[in-house]
Amino acid sequence: MFVSNIRTEFYDVLSTISNRILLLVGYDVDALCACKILQYLFQCDNVLYTLIPVYSKTSLVESFKKHKEKLKFAVLINCGSTIDLVEVLEPEDDVVFFICDSQRPINVYNIYSETQIRLVMKPEDCENIPAYTDIFRDEDSADEDEEMGRPTEETIMRRRDKRLWEENRNKIMFEYSQISYFGESSSCIMFDLAWKMSRDNNDLLWWSIIGFTEQFVMNKVESDKYIMNASLMQNHVTRLNCADVGTFNSVSCMKISFDKELNLSLYRHWSIYDSMLNSKYTACKFKLWSGKGKQNMREFLASIGLPLSQCRQKFLSMDMEIRNNVCSWMEANCDKYRLDQMVFGSFNSQFGFKGKFSATDVVLAISALLESTEKEKTAADKFQDASDALRKGEVNAIKRGIELAKLRLEAIFKQVQNFIALKHVRPAGPFLHATVPTSTHDFKYFCYPSCLTMLGNFLLEAHVCSRRSNRAGSLPLILFAPDEQEYDQCMVVGIPPLSERSPRNFFGKAFEQAAEQARIFINQDLFYTSIVYIKRNDQAKFLDALFLLLS
């Protein structure tokens, strides 16, 4: 059931118990930011908790079984809402789960659980929830299958009604669960809790900004939803960062501002040239995988008065006048080159004199730390590194994440360039498909869900831009990548078509049905339904089944 009052029905319940709380956190930037906010509140009230990051459904089950002894309350952040939690975890009857998750649709058994499941989210943020009577039915006391003798007319009618009801239920459940999407970010929900408790501050606000910005950067929500969230957060930014006349702000304080931002990845910590080359928006607009595209980009830079020698330098090493005006110059000339999204509104933070970071840059840095390719580090170690980087003043940790993010962006662009040059994006009727070769030097980056999804979004947009046919924009993309740990296994991600202008994804159900028709096994262990694992030998069968299903 849904929690109607987040403070009294969620936080007050947890803060008044003596038992240790189990905190299970999904492996993404938004979940980490929400966790940091909740940790701060727990520390204020001396609430005991055990924090465990969970990467998949398997790790969720294993973590719960390991810590379920004497457990009364568990909080799940960005994990568990899309599965029947009670059936999967098999908890004791007195265990209560609080779920704060941005993934949709929510499992109906979690929605209608009256005792053990409590959803920390807004009901209006969940679309088309089936009515209870449409999907649940009380069985008759008499078992119709065991009735002796000749069936009566009443029995026949009752069986007919039950069959029709089950057919209607299956149809309703399919329509409800066939599309996956994302709702309000968990970090925004947790910041709202802190605000209602009058415990909000700039640190918590910054974490919530990073959380909902991650949804925009990773193409989880529409740009309109990002703009709406940004406008709501501007009020909090003004309230917490408006210093009165005559007051003194310590240099150790964080200051958050909202301003126009170039749609270029990490450009403050890179060169303008490298940032434009490896950013999805400019790379696709100029078609930078070709020599002509790079020439057009150089002409654009020259037209706005940016010497190439300056653009190839580190941003902080550029002339002061150019550095201060590059955003306004690009905005003034973007119409000529049809760069209508070259500038957008974003949040920035400044911690003393230690540098300025935009929310989009921090998202890329934290995501790179979470999916670091360092083999000697466990998933828990990477989660801790990302968590430490979010602490106030940890500039060096953020800069380390930024350097890792640069390597990921370069690997993504190189892979897209190879796909386009070698024409390895192949049409298969109702969809496109491509496979990351194991021979590529950078395939280690694409063994992780977020990086592979970034590659898929970049590749689909680049393919559409490089084709003259309008039909390419209406086709989704299925991208395969080798699994570094399991050689005979590969990861599959489904990317919705660009023409939809929405990141809503139908591949979760499509993958499930295709595997059933082809009689092959797929591993849907991740919390993202549009990402699955299959055996490499089953790739052809899988594509054939998808072709028949989507035709």
Side-chain angles (χ1 to χ4, degrees), residues 256-423:
I256 304 174
S257 59
F258 182 81
D259 205 351
K260 292 180 179 180
E261 183 80 2
L262 290 175
N263 195 359
L264 301 177
S265 302
L266 308 174
Y267 74 91
R268 285 192 181 88
H269 315 278
W270 219 345
S271 67
I272 290 291
Y273 187 89
D274 287 333
S275 180
M276 291 187 71
L277 188 66
N278 295 286
S279 297
K280 181 181 71 171
Y281 180 71
T282 48
C284 292
K285 283 292 185 179
F286 287 108
K287 303 178 184 179
L288 296 179
W289 48 84
S290 65
K292 184 179 179 181
K294 291 179 181 178
Q295 179 63 32
N296 290 337
M297 182 183 76
R298 288 192 286 267
E299 290 178 3
F300 167 73
L301 293 173
S303 68
I304 61 177
L306 291 178
L308 198 59
S309 59
Q310 289 284 325
C311 293
R312 289 187 181 274
Q313 294 183 31
K314 283 274 190 178
F315 182 78
L316 293 177
S317 301
M318 296 173 69
D319 291 347
M320 181 72 73
E321 182 184 1
I322 295 176
R323 197 166 69 234
N324 291 338
N325 294 289
V326 62
C327 183
S328 59
W329 290 350
M330 285 194 178
E331 184 181 15
N333 291 272
C334 61
D335 291 341
K336 179 181 176 181
Y337 290 85
R338 298 180 181 178
L339 301 172
D340 54 321
Q341 298 176 24
M342 191 65 192
V343 177
F344 70 104
S346 181
F347 294 90
N348 300 295
S349 71
Q350 183 116 19
F351 183 77
F353 302 107
K354 294 186 178 181
K356 189 175 184 179
F357 298 94
S358 73
T360 55
D361 292 349
V362 176
V363 167
L364 293 173
I366 299 301
S367 179
L369 289 170
L370 284 173
E371 295 187 342
S372 170
T373 58
E374 298 173 274
K375 294 183 179 179
E376 65 275 9
K377 290 192 175 183
T378 64
D381 293 334
K382 297 172 187 178
F383 187 90
Q384 188 60 50
D385 288 344
S387 179
D388 291 342
L390 284 174
R391 286 185 353 207
K392 183 168 67 175
E394 292 293 333
V395 176
N396 291 333
I398 285 289
K399 288 183 177 179
R400 178 175 169 270
I402 287 174
E403 293 305 314
L404 293 176
K406 289 180 186 178
L407 295 176
R408 287 214 308 179
L409 292 174
E410 288 175 340
I412 289 171
F413 176 75
K414 288 177 184 176
Q415 195 58 55
V416 169
Q417 190 174 31
N418 291 337
F419 274 126
I420 299 299
L422 300 175
K423 299 182 179 179

Side-chain angles (χ1 to χ4, degrees), residues 54 135 251 344 347 458 472:
V54 289
I135 55 176
V251 294
F344 70 104
F347 294 90
F458 199 146

Side-chain angles (χ1 to χ4, degrees), residues 465-519:
C465 291
S466 63
R467 311 294 289 185
R468 295 182 179 179
S469 172
N470 294 329
R471 184 172 181 268
S474 63
L475 298 178
L477 172 68
I478 300 171
L479 184 61
F480 298 84
D483 190 346
E484 194 174 25
Q485 297 179 348
E486 300 280 345
Y487 179 77
D488 63 337
Q489 183 174 264
C490 62
M491 186 187 296
V492 190
V493 61
I495 306 296
L498 292 182
S499 60
E500 296 293 331
R501 300 185 179 276
S502 172
R504 291 171 179 260
N505 204 309
F506 63 86
F507 274 112
K509 272 293 180 185
F511 287 163
E512 188 179 323
Q513 290 179 318
E516 185 179 345
Q517 291 180 10
R519 296 182 180 179

Side-chain angles (χ1 to χ4, degrees), residues 97-108:
F97 297 94
F98 289 97
I99 306 177
C100 182
D101 198 347
S102 61
Q103 297 176 68
R104 304 288 187 272
I106 307 297
N107 189 282
V108 292

Side-chain angles (χ1 to χ4, degrees), residues 6-40:
I6 189 173
R7 178 171 181 177
T8 59
E9 297 180 22
F10 168 59
Y11 188 79
D12 288 351
V13 172
L14 296 177
S15 60
T16 55
I17 65 172
S18 57
N19 298 67
R20 184 176 291 269
I21 297 165
L22 181 60
L23 186 55
L24 300 169
V25 184
Y27 213 75
D28 62 74
V29 178
D30 177 41
L32 176 57
C33 292
C35 173
K36 296 285 287 185
I37 296 173
L38 188 58
Q39 280 182 291
Y40 172 82

Side-chain angles (χ1 to χ4, degrees), residues 101-104 125 181-186 215 221 225 229:
D101 198 347
S102 61
Q103 297 176 68
R104 304 288 187 272
D125 200 35
Y181 60 100
F182 286 83
E184 183 179 8
S185 72
S186 298
Q215 292 189 323
V221 298
K225 192 166 186 177
N229 285 333

